[in-house]
Amino acid sequence: MKYFSSSIIALLSTVDDELIRTIVAFLNTEGGTIYIGVDEERKVVGVNNVEEAIIRINDMVSSQIEPNPQEEVKTQIAFYEGKIIIVIKVPRGFSHIYCLKKYGYSPLGCPINIGTSTTSMTEAQIATRRRKRYETSDDLMIKSPSRYNDVSLDILSILLRNRRYCVTLDSVEQHYQLRTESGKYNMLAELLSDKNNIPLNFVKYKGKTKSAIKERNDYGHQSILAAYQEILSRLKAENICKCDTTQRPRVDTYLYDIDAVNEVLINAFIHNDWNATEPLVSFFDDRLEIISHGGLPGGETKEMFFKGISNPRNATLMRIFHDLDIAEHNGHGIPTILSVYGESVFDIQDSYINVVIPFNKEVLDNHSNH
């Protein structure tokens, strides 16, 4: 049919993997249009349960692709030959590289278009694109326009005044580069905005796996400065204690070292690749996990990381946390964690860093007996 380009997806019942793979390939190349409800012969077959299909597609786009391209991928309904089809318009992505989350930044997870066919990137192509992305992450936050239209910075201004900084809204915006060259608020401003659309979840699971969720709390949709304080308060509240009153002075033993955990949380916020997705705090029966995305910043090795040589992915965000006396810019955070838990708690991968804090078994046993 002349109204359809060569970028065609067949019936919805067959598109789970192919649809997402095609979207990622378009994002990684020059964009394209996908038609749902058109078979390989370009015959219009239509889509049943259109509303359910759109919800499913939107969920797949937001949950299966990294970084999340939900704001870029547009889905709409069209009518051809008396039947309903779904049209998905995919632009060239803003990020240097996108991947299928379940495969990560591997050839299988990073498709690209060559002509009218979809193929996998080579390892060299992936490495080149990722290096460009991570080397410019802070730049991207400053240059990328905010996706939230009602940015307000009262919380940031109040916290700075509490630290005895003499600030005005204009001075805050200029000092921290919170506007793009065109004068619009940028992504960094969105992170700091009193309200935004960025979730920050604290998930508590039943048992030692993710098979059953006991509780989920979203501390996001507000300035990440406020979100950080609320998550830290929650972690302090969860930190149960065993008191030994047979000694003088009494000895208190906690479930985990809150100072080390606080450093993990700060690092997750400062070094996270916010162009990909947000950090996650997971609480199990035997451990705490705090995951941030993006792996090590460009140019940093594991040896540098464990020596506490600071190379922040988001330098301006680091400066804000430093100015508010939340974080020090001297690289002592990682050594603080290592002094308590050692290197084994760090799971460092290309696309994420997961820190697994084991709970004190003595405190757990004491708690379970009461």
Side-chain angles (χ1 to χ4, degrees):
M1 311 270 319
K2 64 182 180 180
Y3 10 82
F4 300 129
S5 73
S6 59
S7 305
I8 297 176
I9 295 298
L11 297 173
L12 184 63
S13 60
T14 65
V15 300
D16 286 354
D17 291 334
E18 186 180 359
L19 172 60
I20 293 301
R21 181 173 172 79
T22 302
I23 290 174
V24 173
F26 282 164
L27 289 165
N28 281 333
T29 320
E30 296 299 330
T33 304
I34 301 169
Y35 300 95
I36 307 293
V38 182
D39 67 17
E40 293 181 356
E41 302 299 322
R42 302 192 176 191
K43 177 183 177 182
V44 179
V45 295
V47 176
N48 296 322
N49 301 319
V50 174
E51 184 177 351
E52 179 181 327
I54 290 176
I55 292 173
R56 184 179 173 194
I57 292 167
N58 290 339
D59 180 65
M60 291 167 67
V61 168
S62 63
S63 64
Q64 296 183 29
I65 301 174
E66 183 177 315
N68 188 343
Q70 193 170 20
E71 296 296 324
E72 300 162 82
V73 177
K74 304 301 180 185
T75 303
Q76 61 190 52
I77 295 173
F79 295 87
Y80 287 107
E81 300 179 357
K83 295 177 182 177
I84 300 175
I85 69 170
I86 297 173
V87 181
I88 304 174
K89 296 191 175 182
V90 185
R92 181 188 180 97
F94 186 83
S95 179
H96 286 291
I97 187 169
Y98 294 79
C99 74
L100 298 159
K101 279 188 177 181
K102 67 178 179 179
Y103 298 120
Y105 292 100
S106 67
L108 193 59
C110 298
I112 191 171
N113 274 359
I114 298 179
T116 59
S117 62
T118 299
T119 187
S120 296
M121 287 188 198
T122 64
E123 294 280 5
Q125 288 175 314
I126 293 169
T128 298
R129 289 200 181 205
R130 295 196 72 205
R131 186 162 56 250
K132 288 181 180 178
R133 175 182 170 192
Y134 293 144
E135 285 175 354
T136 60
S137 180
D138 190 56
D139 222 26
L140 281 174
M141 291 185 70
I142 292 171
K143 292 181 178 179
S144 305
S146 170
R147 298 159 297 183
Y148 188 74
N149 294 325
D150 299 317
V151 170
S152 59
L153 301 167
D154 291 343
I155 290 175
L156 174 59
S157 297
I158 290 169
L159 290 174
L160 287 168
R161 291 191 188 102
N162 288 345
R163 295 293 304 159
R164 300 189 181 281
Y165 287 97
C166 182
V167 299
T168 64
L169 181 58
D170 285 344
S171 68
V172 169
E173 291 176 359
Q174 292 178 21
H175 186 64
Y176 296 121
Q177 298 177 275
L178 300 181
R179 289 188 181 270
T180 64
E181 291 180 357
S182 64
K184 295 182 178 180
Y185 278 118
N186 55 27
M187 186 176 175
L188 180 58
E190 180 181 348
L191 284 177
L192 298 164
S193 177
D194 303 334
K195 294 181 181 179
N196 55 46
N197 290 324
I198 302 168
L200 281 166
N201 286 311
F202 178 103
V203 184
K204 202 169 185 179
Y205 294 95
K206 294 179 181 178
K208 300 179 181 180
T209 70
K210 292 185 176 182
S211 58
I213 294 177
K214 183 187 299 184
E215 180 184 348
R216 183 196 300 272
N217 293 94
D218 186 353
Y219 293 101
H221 304 281
Q222 61 177 329
S223 169
I224 64 166
L225 300 170
Y228 157 75
Q229 294 292 351
E230 289 188 9
I231 294 174
L232 178 59
S233 295
R234 176 61 186 271
L235 289 170
K236 288 179 177 178
E238 294 285 353
N239 197 16
I240 56 177
C241 174
K242 176 190 174 186
C243 301
D244 185 354
T245 57
T246 62
Q247 303 183 53
R248 290 291 184 270
R250 77 178 193 184
V251 176
D252 293 337
T253 306
Y254 288 90
L255 192 61
Y256 43 80
D257 186 290
I258 192 60
D259 291 332
V261 166
N262 182 39
E263 294 296 339
V264 176
L265 185 63
I266 290 170
N267 281 336
F269 274 66
I270 291 175
H271 300 293
N272 186 65
D273 182 359
W274 293 94
N275 297 294
T277 189
E278 62 282 346
L280 175 66
V281 180
S282 301
F283 207 93
F284 299 87
D285 282 359
D286 63 339
R287 70 193 186 280
L288 167 68
E289 294 187 8
I290 300 178
I291 188 169
S292 59
H293 298 271
L296 295 175
E300 184 166 352
T301 64
K302 287 185 180 180
E303 183 180 10
M304 293 167 60
F305 178 83
F306 287 126
K307 283 183 176 179
I309 299 174
S310 182
N311 181 24
R313 171 171 283 111
N314 306 304
T316 308
L317 187 58
M318 175 68 164
R319 185 151 54 92
I320 292 170
F321 271 63
H322 175 268
D323 290 348
L324 295 176
D325 202 28
I326 297 172
E328 295 292 336
H329 194 14
N330 56 17
H332 89 290
I334 297 301
T336 297
I337 301 165
L338 293 176
S339 67
V340 181
Y341 292 109
E343 293 185 8
S344 63
V345 300
F346 290 91
D347 177 16
I348 302 175
Q349 302 295 328
D350 287 343
S351 59
Y352 67 84
I353 297 176
N354 189 27
V355 186
V356 183
I357 301 295
F359 293 159
N360 186 299
K361 191 174 185 304
E362 183 181 339
V363 176
L364 281 177
D365 292 341
N366 181 74
H367 184 68
S368 62
N369 293 329
H370 287 80

